[in-house]
Structure formats: C-alpha cells, structure tokens
Amino acid sequence: MVNTSLQLISFTCAVTGWVMAIAVTALPQWKVTAFIGSNILTSEIVWEGIWMNCVYQTTGQMQCKTYESMLALPPDVQAARALMCLAIFLGWLSCTVSCCGMKCTTCAGDDRQAKAAIALSGGVLFMLTGLCVLVPVSWTANSVIRDFYNPAVPAVRKRELGQAIYLGWAAAVILMLSGAVLSCTCPHGDRRATAAATWAAASPTPAPPPPSPQNPSPPAACR
C-alpha cells in the first residue's frame, strides 16, 4: 500500500513538472531588460523568449512578435527550441509508459515483473525529460550572465534572468527527482519472492526416506 501511494505521489509530481516545462516553452520571459545605470527609469520592459519577444509598457500595453527567421537566431535559442520540444514529447511518452506500469492500473495484467519493468522505464524517461529541460535553461542562463558582465556589451543590450529560467530549473528538478523515486518503487521484494517460488517449484522434491523396519519383539516366554 505504501509503495502504491509513493508511485501515485511521484507520478503526480512528474506530471506537474511536465506541465511546468510546457509553460516554460511558451513563456517569453527567458531574458528580461536589465535595469542598470540610466536605464532604471525606462518606460518599457523587453522580454525575450525562444519563440517571440515582447515589449511591455508601463501603461499596461504589450506587443509581441514572433521570430521571422529560425536560422538567424543565436545557437542557444535554436538548441533551446529543439530540446524543449523534445522534452515535451518525452514527457508525454513518460506519462503513457508510467501509467501502464503503476500498480493501480490493470495494464500488463497480474505480471508484476512486467509492470515493474514498465514503471522503471517510465521513471528513466522522466529523468531524461528533466535533463532535456535543464540543458537549454542552464545554457541560456550562462549566456545571459556572461553578456551581463561583458564590458563590451552595451547597457541597453544587457539582459537578466527571467521568470521562465527559474521555472525551468524547478521543472527539471521535479522531473528528475520524481523519475528517480518512480524508478525506485519497483517491487523488488515481490520479484525475489516470485523467483524463489519459481526455483522451488522447478527443483525436484527429494523423496522422503523409507520407514525403517521395526524389529519384531520376541514372544513372551510361556510360564
């Protein structure tokens, strides 16, 4: 019962991390305007994502524009697009595989070994999904920090880490931890018991030793 509850909790957390990864992919707040120097009183805020950039004005108006050319984008943005799309696909595949391997489902029948292998595969896929989210988020953060401390970059071109970066780190951690927990909930004890029972059934049962003959007691002497 405890193992089943742990599977449900880890699966729910993994699905939450997957939804967060989808939100990170869609959000434009990967890079935001850096408020430094005379730029602190600017009347507009620039958001740059992997699909579009937006200009948010203090009056409440916002204008967004998608990138027209994919080949003209920086390498980190191109890699982020590919890896985030791969992460979304792997997350969907992980959810499907994990559902089939959980104890509370009827997939794979009563074969505990098959369900354990399926659950293990789902956990590994969730960890790969978290890795696919972690790489582009960390790469983008590294480029933002490098340009921020580069004196050759003008102040108006400097950017800071946006909310999507922190959300991506949280999603990656949740996905990898949930996948690891889901992989560890495989019923190892049940598999050992099943293997022991199979070995005992296949082993020949030794025949019981024949009963030892009893020596007949001598007849009582006649009186």
Side-chain angles (χ1 to χ4, degrees), residues 1 66 71 75-76 86 109 136 139 147 151 154 161 180 221 223:
M1 183 62 182
T66 57
L71 298 179
D76 58 339
L86 179 61
W139 189 357
D147 293 342
L161 303 179
R223 295 182 179 178

Side-chain angles (χ1 to χ4, degrees), residues 17 184-185:
C184 295
T185 55

Side-chain angles (χ1 to χ4, degrees), residues 42-45 47 54-64:
T42 182
S43 60
E44 60 183 20
I45 302 174
W47 295 341
C54 299
V55 177
Y56 178 80
Q57 299 178 355
T58 55
T59 57
Q61 297 179 352
M62 183 174 63
Q63 296 179 352
C64 295

Side-chain angles (χ1 to χ4, degrees), residues 94-152:
S94 304
C95 294
T96 305
V97 174
S98 299
C99 284
C100 297
M102 296 179 66
K103 287 185 175 181
C104 57
T105 59
T106 57
C107 299
D110 295 331
D111 192 349
R112 295 182 177 179
Q113 294 184 6
K115 292 180 75 68
I118 295 173
L120 179 62
S121 302
V124 172
L125 286 174
F126 272 125
M127 288 188 286
L128 289 177
T129 304
L131 184 61
C132 289
V133 176
L134 181 63
V135 170
V137 170
S138 301
W139 189 357
T140 303
N142 179 66
S143 63
V144 169
I145 295 173
R146 184 184 64 245
D147 293 342
F148 187 86
Y149 291 106
N150 187 2

